[in-house]
Amino acid sequence: MNKEPVISKMKSAFEITIPSEIDHALNVLKNAEIIMDGEGIKGRERYLISVTAILHDIGMINAKEKYGSTSGPYQEKEGPAAAKELLEGEGLSDDEMERICYIIGNHHTPSKVDGMDFQIQWEADLLEALKKFDKGTSQDMLKGIINKNFKTKSGLELAEKILIMN
């Protein structure tokens, strides 16, 4: 259950087309790991959530090539097939592969969040997006987004620690 081969494949995939995405994916992974620590997620479930975090935006590459855009709907459309290709040989069951692809194929659609694994991915990725806001002028807006979207205790605490000024 070593995630390093998946990280290596992700880096190789993004290296030429969208190198800035490497840092984003690793930051989302870091956020997911912090949330999983707080929620007591271990073993295989932790590995699968980590793999999803690493590859959540993998559809960007084909989206950029096919549509000239990396917008969310295109990422969701292209992500599952790209993830399957990169995860070949990683020892995932059909059910595990299907779940990872479901999350990657819906990771910009909050209404599709349907389990703790997806919730952790949602929070870990959203946290990176929210870091781009001006914390000084956006506190009420940030608090509203956090309260609406963060459902895990650990994710909520992390978001408040990073984004909310006391």
Side-chain angles (χ1 to χ4, degrees):
M1 292 194 311
N2 180 3
K3 64 185 178 247
E4 293 306 318
V6 179
I7 290 172
S8 180
K9 289 177 182 180
M10 176 273 296
K11 286 180 176 179
S12 292
F14 279 119
E15 198 168 50
I16 294 171
T17 55
I18 314 171
S20 61
E21 185 57 28
I22 295 169
D23 285 339
H24 171 72
L26 294 175
N27 287 336
V28 171
L29 173 61
K30 180 181 171 189
N31 294 339
E33 289 174 335
I34 293 168
I35 296 169
M36 288 188 287
D37 286 344
E39 299 300 312
I41 307 291
K42 297 180 180 4
R44 188 72 174 174
E45 184 179 12
R46 184 181 184 93
Y47 171 73
L48 296 172
I49 293 169
S50 296
V51 167
T52 305
I54 294 163
L55 296 179
H56 74 281
D57 280 340
I58 201 66
M60 287 177 108
I61 297 166
N62 289 340
K64 184 177 181 180
E65 184 179 305
K66 287 183 178 181
Y67 310 105
S69 171
T70 60
S71 69
Y74 296 131
Q75 287 181 42
E76 289 182 339
K77 183 176 182 176
E78 297 299 325
K84 273 185 184 178
E85 186 177 322
L86 287 179
L87 290 171
E88 200 169 297
E90 292 299 323
L92 297 167
S93 72
D94 290 346
D95 287 345
E96 290 169 337
M97 183 73 80
E98 186 176 317
R99 182 64 182 164
I100 289 168
C101 289
Y102 173 79
I103 295 171
I104 290 171
N106 293 287
H107 79 278
H108 284 282
T109 309
S111 64
K112 298 286 188 166
V113 176
D114 63 351
M116 178 66 87
D117 55 350
F118 199 159
Q119 184 63 41
I120 291 170
Q121 170 58 40
W122 177 257
E123 292 176 11
D125 192 24
L126 181 58
L127 187 54
E128 286 306 300
L130 294 176
K131 286 179 182 178
K132 296 176 183 168
F133 284 93
D134 178 350
K135 288 192 276 189
T137 59
S138 304
Q139 286 293 288
D140 288 339
M141 181 189 64
L142 286 170
K143 287 177 185 175
I145 293 169
I146 290 167
N147 290 332
K148 181 180 178 187
N149 288 279
F150 287 76
K151 309 292 186 210
T152 67
K153 182 177 185 288
S154 302
L156 181 62
E157 289 171 357
L158 182 61
E160 289 175 346
K161 177 181 171 186
I162 292 172
L163 300 169
I164 303 303
M165 297 167 52
N166 293 325

